[in-house]
Amino acid sequence: MITNIAILASGNGSNAENIARHFMSSPKVKVALILTNSQKAYALKRSRDLGIPCAYFSKEFWQDGQAILSLLRSYQIGFVVLAGFLAKIPDIILQAYPQRMVNIHPSLLPLHGGKGMYGDRVHEDVLRCGDKESGITIHYTSEVYDAGQIIAQYHCEVKPDDTPDTLATRVHALEYEYYPRVIEGLIMKL
Ligand code: GRF
């Protein structure tokens, strides 16, 4: 049986594309839908180029959740992946996907997480605090930002001459390498 994934992305969508490409030849997992809360998300262009159905929903829809849940059901989505998604997930969607919805955060949670901590702000905070290492955290999604049960963490060095950009590049490399594999492992265990 094939598991259909939906990916939620608000911006660039490089993780969404990487995950979609990872599963393109998989007989067991298919990225069936990409959803966004931003009309400007480059993730929309990526999904069109990849031939993956995509949809934008405005804030009101993300607050209510019902129409989005109906769409997820109509695509028979069995697993939801957040990849740079910045809106809050409605409770009815969280409840529909217990242990079947994951997020990635570009630091070693609980460090540098929580509301408002995304993108370069995270890397700036890591550098400001003088951390010697950073990395990624893959965790289940919960009602509280970045507070769901941790599934996996991968570390990288923070170099003395790092800028937010150079650190982001190192962290992104970890995301591309590990996020698809962790998702695959979780789906195989369902
Ligand atoms: C990633 O660093 C991810 O960890 C965070 O948002 C970023 C999204 O990047 N949640 P992209 O849109 O996948 O390029």
Side-chain angles (χ1 to χ4, degrees), residues 36-54:
T36 186
N37 64 330
S38 167
Q39 277 172 306
K40 290 190 211 147
Y42 192 67
L44 285 171
K45 161 129 183 31
R46 292 183 193 267
S47 43
R48 286 187 206 109
D49 290 349
L50 290 161
I52 298 171
C54 56

Side-chain angles (χ1 to χ4, degrees), residues 81-130:
V81 171
L82 277 60
F85 187 69
L86 300 179
K88 196 168 181 316
I89 303 295
D91 286 350
I92 54 163
I93 298 182
L94 281 173
Q95 284 153 15
Y97 290 94
Q99 303 287 97
R100 286 166 182 257
M101 190 182 312
V102 295
N103 182 39
I104 189 164
H105 186 80
S107 75
L108 299 170
L109 290 175
L111 300 174
H112 316 291
K115 194 166 171 18
M117 271 295 185
Y118 59 87
D120 274 353
R121 293 186 193 185
V122 177
H123 307 303
E124 281 160 12
D125 204 44
V126 169
L127 295 177
R128 191 180 53 77
C129 292

